[in-house]
Amino acid sequence: RGFMIMLFPMLYDFGDYPFTEVHEKIRAFCREQGIPFLDLLPAYRKYRAEDLWVHPIDHHPNEIGHRIAAEELFSFLESHPDLWPCRAAESP
């Protein structure tokens, strides 16, 4: 309870993303283990990777990338209230 995995993709050419297989392996592992899993790749694919970079030499998510992650996480948690810390603490 109260545990999930959220996967940030590498901010790299989403049209020819080289790590899709890695995402699928992580998704399969989480499914087998019963771990709630949120992959941000589908949400990020609506953008060009470079539009989500902090800077051309720093490919960490910028404010747009973090906003997307926050919105996706909020939506995910709305549909998984058992993951909320206050709810998890209330459960036996």
Side-chain angles (χ1 to χ4, degrees):
R1 283 232 204 256
F3 176 77
M4 64 166 290
I5 292 177
M6 181 169 76
L7 180 58
F8 277 82
M10 298 293 293
L11 299 182
Y12 181 82
D13 184 10
F14 298 134
D16 190 26
Y17 189 69
F19 306 108
T20 302
E21 186 176 327
V22 174
H23 284 247
E24 290 306 317
K25 286 183 180 183
I26 294 169
R27 178 184 313 282
F29 172 81
C30 289
R31 187 178 314 118
E32 291 167 6
Q33 300 301 314
I35 300 170
F37 176 69
L38 172 59
D39 188 353
L40 296 175
L41 182 59
Y44 280 8
R45 277 199 158 131
K46 299 171 187 170
Y47 300 83
R48 294 179 331 134
E50 50 270 19
D51 291 339
L52 304 175
W53 295 343
V54 168
H55 187 273
I57 61 170
D58 183 350
H59 296 187
H60 286 89
N62 61 18
E63 71 281 1
I64 299 166
H66 281 289
R67 178 185 46 78
I68 294 164
E71 290 171 353
E72 291 293 314
L73 179 58
F74 183 79
S75 177
F76 186 85
L77 290 174
E78 278 189 318
S79 64
H80 294 84
D82 56 311
L83 294 174
W84 301 358
C86 59
R87 295 269 175 102
E90 294 170 1
S91 300

